[in-house]
Amino acid sequence: MSDSVSQRPTRALISLDNLAFNFHSSKRFIGEGPEVMGVVKANAYGHGAVACARRLEAEGIDWLAVAIPEEAIELRDAGVGSRLLCLGGFWSGQEAQMIERHITPVIFKIEMAELLNRSAREKNVQVAVHVKVDSGMGRVGILPSAVSDFAQRLKSMSHLKLEGIMTHFAVADDLSQTEFTENQIAVFNESVERFRSAGHSPKYTDLANSPGAVAHPSSRSNLVRLGGILYGLGGDVLPKEAPAPELKPVMRLETRIADIKEFPAGSSLGYGRTFITERPSRIATIPIGYHDGLPRVLSNIGQVLIKGTRVPIAGRVSMDWTILDVTDLPDCSINDVVTIIGRDGAEAILAEDLAIQTDTISYEITCGVGQRVPRIYDQG
Ligand SMILES: *Cc1c(COP(=O)(O)O)cnc(C)c1O
C-alpha cells in the first residue's frame, strides 16, 4: 500500500481470512451435525455481499441467505452458485425470477405459495420452498394456529416441494429469558409435526441464528443460520455467560488526517458551535462523516485512534467531515492513519464499543458504513 493518496482515504478493510476463520471456528464449536447457512443480507452486514459470499462458498459453506430477491440476483449475477435462501420471500411479480435464478424463497403466506405454484406450473418445474413459522417473534411467519390449514393447502400445490421449515428467535441472546426461547423451540417442533401429519417431509428444520446456535444447543437441529458471528460480531449479540467460539473482527474502518490547524482559546468548531476551545488547540479534520457510518450521536463524545492513542471528536460529526482535538498528540501530522473501528497499537475500538456508545447493536454500526466507502479485501 503506497502512502501517496489518490483518492479519499476513508476505507473499510475487510479481512476475508478472518471471515473464513470465524466460519470454521463457529462450525467447530457447533459440531459436525448441522449444515451451515451464511447470512449475507444487507451487503453482508456492510462487509460486501459478493466478496463474502464467494469466500464462504470457497470455504465450503452449505447455504447462503439474503433478505430480498434483489440481493439474491446480485449474487447470482456475480457467479455465486450455492443454494441461496431468500429470507424475506418475494413480492408479487418476482416469482418467475426466483425460479429462473434458482433462488429458494421463504414462504409465509398462502398467496405467495399460490403465485409460485402457478409460475412453476407454467415452467413445468418443481420448486423447493421453505416455510416460516411464527413461534414467538410476532413478525412474519405462519401462526401455529394456522399451520394445519396452511400445510394442507400447500400439499395440494403439486409444483411446490416443502424442503424446509424454519422459525426465528426473539431473545436467544438473553439467557435470563431462556424459557421464552425453549417455548419457541417447543411451538416450532409441534408445527413441524403438523406439517409431517399433512404429508410433508421437509429435509431441513432450522431455528438457530448466531446466539441460538452458540448458546442453545437444542436449537441447532440440522441447519443453522449464521450472520453476526461470521463477521466477528459476537461481543453484543452472544450471551456473555455462555461459552463461545473464538471470533476475529472482519471489518476495519479507517481514514487519514486531511488537514491540521491551530486555533486560539475561545474558538468555536463545527455546526452549532458545540465545541469551544479552552486552550490554544491543534485541530485535525478527517474525511469521514455520518454518511460514511460515523454516527452523528458521537459528536463531542466519540474517540478515534491515531498512533495508538485515543483522540476525542470535537464538535458535531457532519455528513462528510469530522473534527478531532489533537492538542495532546503533538507529533501527529497530515496523512496519518486514523482508526475508527479496529486496532492501533495497544488500543482497539470495536464495532461493539461504538454500539454501546450509540445505544444500538454492532450490526447497525457495520451495516451503517456508507456506500461511498470502498471495501478493500485482503484476498480475491
Ligand atoms: C438475519 C437473520 C439471521 C442471522 O442472524 P444473526 O443473529 O446475525 O446470526 C438468521 N435468520 C433470519 C431469519 C434472519 O433474518
Side-chain angles (χ1 to χ4, degrees):
M1 166 76 222
S2 140
D3 254 11
S4 72
V5 185
S6 58
Q7 61 174 34
R8 189 172 186 249
T10 304
R11 327 180 296 164
L13 301 171
I14 306 299
S15 171
L16 297 176
D17 286 344
N18 285 1
L19 177 73
F21 175 92
N22 294 338
F23 166 55
H24 293 295
S25 175
S26 301
K27 197 170 165 58
R28 215 176 307 118
F29 183 90
I30 290 162
E32 281 305 311
E35 292 186 25
V36 176
M37 178 181 286
V39 181
V40 294
K41 65 190 178 190
N43 199 27
Y45 297 40
H47 296 73
V50 168
C52 291
R54 281 186 180 145
R55 182 59 184 264
L56 290 170
E57 196 168 53
E59 296 296 324
I61 204 148
D62 303 292
W63 279 81
L64 294 166
V66 293
I68 64 173
E70 288 81 350
E71 293 175 326
I73 288 164
E74 184 194 3
L75 295 182
R76 287 289 185 246
D77 283 347
V80 172
S82 301
R83 290 301 306 272
L84 188 46
L85 189 68
C86 191
L87 298 166
F90 59 89
W91 270 258
S92 172
Q94 294 181 308
E95 57 276 5
Q97 255 183 325
M98 302 295 286
I99 298 171
E100 285 154 17
R101 312 305 291 270
H102 298 283
I103 302 161
T104 305
V106 169
I107 300 278
F108 46 85
K109 291 195 294 190
I110 199 70
E111 294 80 8
M112 298 167 80
E114 284 163 352
L115 281 170
L116 201 68
N117 189 51
R118 191 175 318 138
S119 193
R121 192 190 308 122
E122 282 165 12
K123 296 177 188 303
N124 199 22
V125 291
Q126 245 222 346
V127 172
V129 298
H130 292 212
V131 166
K132 188 171 197 174
V133 172
D134 181 2
S135 62
M137 181 67 116
R139 216 168 55 173
V140 292
I142 312 293
L143 284 170
S145 56
V147 159
S148 291
D149 180 54
F150 182 93
Q152 275 173 17
R153 293 173 73 177
L154 188 65
K155 194 65 200 152
S156 71
M157 299 183 197
S158 55
H159 289 267
L160 302 185
K161 160 98 182 110
L162 180 63
E163 183 186 37
I165 307 176
M166 61 175 296
T167 195
H168 198 36
F169 289 134
V171 283
D173 55 328
D174 180 356
L175 294 189
S176 75
Q177 300 192 61
T178 291
E179 213 178 306
F180 190 90
T181 301
E182 296 290 343
N183 188 62
Q184 282 199 267
I185 296 172
V187 166
F188 177 73
N189 288 338
E190 282 167 28
S191 297
V192 170
E193 277 320 305
R194 295 216 182 108
F195 275 101
R196 290 195 204 281
S197 315
H200 296 281
S201 41
K203 177 174 179 196
Y204 297 104
T205 54
D206 49 298
L207 312 86
N209 52 0
S210 294
V214 167
H216 301 274
S218 64
S219 77
R220 287 173 190 157
S221 191
N222 60 5
L223 175 63
V224 295
R225 306 184 304 267
L226 305 183
I229 59 175
L230 294 181
Y231 309 106
L233 304 172
D236 58 357
V237 298
L238 295 181
K240 308 251 174 308
E241 316 88 293
E246 188 193 347
L247 302 173
K248 298 179 179 178
V250 174
M251 181 188 290
R252 170 182 169 78
L253 181 62
E254 65 169 43
T255 186
R256 287 169 186 258
I257 296 176
D259 203 3
I260 298 184
K261 293 188 293 195
E262 310 281 341
F263 287 94
S267 306
S268 69
L269 304 177
Y271 283 120
R273 307 182 61 212
T274 61
F275 186 94
I276 311 286
T277 56
E278 290 176 350
R279 53 181 177 170
S281 299
R282 210 165 165 253
I283 299 300
T285 303
I286 52 175
I288 182 169
Y290 55 79
H291 180 59
D292 303 299
L294 183 59
R296 186 172 177 276
V297 289
L298 290 177
S299 298
N300 286 309
I301 61 169
Q303 297 180 327
V304 300
L305 305 177
I306 302 175
K307 293 184 182 295
T309 303
R310 285 180 182 268
V311 168
I313 292 174
R316 292 255 169 89
V317 173
S318 51
M319 194 181 289
D320 321 303
W321 300 101
T322 296
I323 304 165
L324 307 174
D325 183 353
V326 294
T327 313
D328 295 328
L329 192 65
D331 68 334
C332 72
S333 43
I334 289 174
N335 226 17
D336 279 352
V337 170
V338 179
T339 302
I340 315 297
I341 298 171
R343 174 166 294 284
D344 182 359
E347 291 281 358
I349 296 175
L350 301 177
E352 286 93 324
D353 298 326
L354 297 187
I356 290 168
Q357 278 191 297
T358 57
D359 193 25
T360 183
I361 56 170
S362 55
Y363 295 6
E364 194 180 26
I365 298 294
T366 60
C367 279
V369 173
Q371 226 188 331
R372 72 182 175 191
V373 177
R375 272 68 172 173
I376 312 290
Y377 300 97
D378 62 356
Q379 274 193 15

